[in-house]
Every structure is written in C-alpha cells, then in structure tokens.
Amino acid sequence: MKTKFLNAALTCLVVFFSTVRVDAQISAVAKDRAVAVTFDDLPVISLRHDLASQSIITRKLLDAIKSNRVPAIGFVNENKLLTDGTLDERRIAFLRMWLDEGLELGNHSFSHPDLHSTPLDVFKQDVIRGEEVTSRLLQAKGRTLRYFRHPFLHTGNSLETKQHFEEFLKERGYRIAPVTIDNSEWIFARAYDLAMQRGDKQLMKRIGRSYIPYMEQKFAYFEQQSMALFGYEMKQILLLHANALNADYFHALAQMMKKRGYNFITLDEALTDKAYTSPDTYAGPTGITWIHRWAITAGKDADFFKGEPSTPAFVMKEAGVRAE
Ligand SMILES: [Zn+2]
C-alpha cells in the first residue's frame, strides 16, 4: 500500500515537472513566432462586383489590418480595375487605400491565368500587363514593384517551364512571394459569399466561427512541419485573399495568431529566414506550400506529409466545391 502510494506520488511529481518543462519549451518557441500576412486577388475577390460592396470590403479589411498593426502585402490582378473594358479610377482608388495605409502591393498577373494551361509567352505578357497601374501607384510613393505571386501557386508543371519563368521574373526585377501556410480559406470565402447573397446570416456566422479554429489547426500543422523539416519554426508566410470573409474575420484571425505568439513581419523580413534558400525542384501539378516543395525535393516519404487539416464538409458543400 505504502509503495503504491509512493509510486503514485512519484508519478505525479514526474508528470508535474515534465509538464512544466514542456510548457516552458512551448512558450520559449512561441515568443519567437513570426508571420508575414499576404492577400491575393486585389482589389477584391467577391461575388459582389459593385463598387459600394467592394469599397466596404476594402475599408473593413484595411481597418482590421491597421488596428492589428500587420505590415501586409496585397497582390493585384489589374483586370479587376476595369469597368466595361476601361480602367476605372474608382477601382484604382481601392489600391490607393492599401498604399495610404503604408502597405505594400505586388503583381499577381493581369487576369489570373494558369501557368499550367497557358503558353509561357502568353503568360509572360499577362504578367507584364499586370504591372501597369500598380507600378505607377508605387512609383508615386517612391517605391517599386518588387514581388510576384503565382496564380493558383502554379509555378510550372515542368522544371524547364519553372526555371524559364523564374529567370524571366528575375530579369524584370521580381522576387517570388512563396507561401508556407497554405490553406483553403478561399473555400470558406466562397461559402460565405454565397450565404451572404442569400441573406443567410446564421450560415455566415457558422462559417465564420469554423474559419478561425480551422486556420489555427493549419498553423499548428505547418509549425510542426517546419520543425520536422528544419528543426526550428521558420518565419512563416500566410496566404489569404482580399474578400468579404476576411473583411469580417481578419481581426479574429489576427487575435488567434497573436495568442499563438506570432509577431507580424513584412515579406522582406520573412524571406531573411534561411529556410527560403532551400532547394526546390518541385514541378508537380498542384499549387502547394513551399514547405512541402522543399520536403519533396529533400526526398521525404509519404509519412512526412500526414495530418494536414481538411476543410469541414459543410463548408465544402455550401461552397459547391468537391475537392480541395
Ligand atoms: Zn489568386
């Protein structure tokens, strides 16, 4: 009896001390966490194309970015600046709002073509066409257009195309904007937009409420993936879109990141992490996180990639999306 009691007491002590140690390790790591937040498909990607809705989305999103002091970058599709085929100053004004908040803009191509189904020459012309307004707006602020984000994260489905295109980007003065925390926020956003169109506020709330825990799971997964690949938590790059979902929920998302111990950094700062110099010869068909590109290049087996959180079934259904 006595021995049993002693054993139990010892077990308690061991559990207590190991818990303390684990907590200390987690908080030590947590203090150093850093993420660059990037938004694609500017000025706005929504089923709501009218100026008034897009203006509200932009204002709300920028207010949330600003109040959380996030030095974000937005990637522009300039074809969204047209009304009936001509440049619309009222839409260009949305981009000025980003710059007026001190945020950066990058090129996401003119019309969001898919590199995997578009001839390289045509694709390159689309990238050049996508520079016009954005570079002019940046120049007026004494800045230059420096970053390119691949539509669909499709970087070329052959090594030859990939390398040719990367060479082209370099020649035009671009740096590629990778993504490490890849996710299906766009599916949540589509479901959210459709619910909004129907005026289904309850469903909008349900989608919003499941969005934040889903994203937190994605963070936890990619933190672990970085540990497994590099032995430390790298400076992450998060992919989001300029949509109505984030206009309403980016503040909650930023709070979640802060609670996980994240500091918000610029894309420039994120890219100082040596992880981004890892070799990448991935030329597969899908647009995946750079962490997995480096892992594939390093020859990791299937086990390495296990455990990636999936989008809740009801969100997939409401968005009308069959596969992530
Ligand atoms: Zn995009």
Side-chain angles (χ1 to χ4, degrees), residues 200-272:
D200 190 340
K201 286 191 176 156
Q202 231 174 344
L203 180 59
M204 285 169 71
K205 250 189 200 149
R206 191 174 166 218
I207 294 162
R209 271 203 299 257
S210 67
Y211 173 48
I212 308 302
Y214 161 82
M215 290 298 277
E216 182 154 26
Q217 284 172 19
K218 283 277 180 179
F219 269 84
Y221 173 74
F222 286 117
E223 286 157 10
Q224 284 165 20
Q225 292 293 89
S226 172
M227 280 299 285
L229 189 60
F230 298 118
Y232 70 97
E233 282 193 31
M234 63 183 299
K235 295 184 194 332
Q236 303 276 4
I237 301 173
L238 172 66
L239 169 62
L240 298 172
H241 292 82
N243 54 37
L245 175 70
N246 287 316
D248 291 341
Y249 284 90
F250 182 71
H251 178 70
L253 195 63
Q255 295 300 310
M256 178 278 283
M257 292 186 255
K258 282 182 191 170
K259 258 190 218 152
R260 289 191 81 76
Y262 277 94
N263 297 300
F264 299 118
I265 57 172
T266 60
L267 188 52
D268 284 6
E269 274 178 88
L271 291 174
T272 61

Side-chain angles (χ1 to χ4, degrees), residues 40-41 77 108 112 150-152 241:
D40 282 10
D41 300 3
N77 297 125
H108 191 38
H112 215 282
H150 295 81
F152 310 103
H241 292 82

Side-chain angles (χ1 to χ4, degrees), residues 9-23:
L10 269 176
T11 308
C12 277
L13 269 176
V14 168
V15 168
F16 173 74
F17 281 114
S18 53
T19 308
V20 167
R21 209 181 57 226
V22 168
D23 282 352

Side-chain angles (χ1 to χ4, degrees), residues 73-297:
I73 176 168
F75 289 91
V76 181
N77 297 125
E78 292 193 7
N79 71 336
K80 294 205 189 80
L81 304 175
L82 308 178
T83 301
D84 301 327
T86 15
L87 271 177
D88 189 333
E89 273 302 325
R90 297 165 302 177
R91 295 187 190 276
I92 296 174
F94 299 145
L95 298 183
R96 286 207 178 88
M97 287 163 73
W98 281 73
L99 292 175
D100 289 345
E101 297 296 355
L103 303 172
E104 176 138 22
L105 295 177
N107 186 350
H108 191 38
S109 79
F110 177 76
S111 63
H112 215 282
D114 183 349
L115 180 54
H116 294 179
S117 58
T118 309
L120 188 54
D121 276 353
V122 176
F123 194 87
K124 284 182 189 170
Q125 286 311 309
D126 201 85
V127 172
I128 294 169
R129 198 175 170 198
E131 292 172 351
E132 289 172 21
V133 178
T134 313
S135 63
R136 181 157 45 84
L137 294 178
L138 280 162
Q139 261 167 26
K141 295 264 181 192
R143 304 169 73 168
T144 48
L145 183 58
R146 304 181 295 143
Y147 282 109
F148 179 79
R149 161 74 47 77
H150 295 81
F152 310 103
L153 305 184
H154 284 177
T155 53
N157 50 10
S158 75
L159 258 185
E160 200 195 354
T161 304
K162 180 187 165 97
Q163 283 162 358
H164 263 107
F165 184 60
E166 283 177 5
E167 204 48 49
F168 161 83
L169 287 177
K170 209 193 239 172
E171 279 165 16
R172 287 198 79 80
Y174 285 108
R175 205 164 174 196
I176 292 167
V179 170
T180 58
I181 302 185
D182 185 29
N183 57 79
S184 293
E185 154 263 18
W186 65 276
I187 300 178
F188 283 79
R190 187 174 163 74
Y192 193 77
D193 262 14
L194 288 167
M196 194 188 288
Q197 260 186 352
R198 294 198 307 264
D200 190 340
K201 286 191 176 156
Q202 231 174 344
L203 180 59
M204 285 169 71
K205 250 189 200 149
R206 191 174 166 218
I207 294 162
R209 271 203 299 257
S210 67
Y211 173 48
I212 308 302
Y214 161 82
M215 290 298 277
E216 182 154 26
Q217 284 172 19
K218 283 277 180 179
F219 269 84
Y221 173 74
F222 286 117
E223 286 157 10
Q224 284 165 20
Q225 292 293 89
S226 172
M227 280 299 285
L229 189 60
F230 298 118
Y232 70 97
E233 282 193 31
M234 63 183 299
K235 295 184 194 332
Q236 303 276 4
I237 301 173
L238 172 66
L239 169 62
L240 298 172
H241 292 82
N243 54 37
L245 175 70
N246 287 316
D248 291 341
Y249 284 90
F250 182 71
H251 178 70
L253 195 63
Q255 295 300 310
M256 178 278 283
M257 292 186 255
K258 282 182 191 170
K259 258 190 218 152
R260 289 191 81 76
Y262 277 94
N263 297 300
F264 299 118
I265 57 172
T266 60
L267 188 52
D268 284 6
E269 274 178 88
L271 291 174
T272 61
D273 193 313
K274 63 180 186 298
Y276 291 98
T277 62
S278 307
D280 166 21
T281 55
Y282 173 77
T286 48
I288 55 172
T289 164
W290 263 250
I291 296 182
H292 287 172
R293 290 163 197 252
W294 299 317
I296 290 166
T297 307

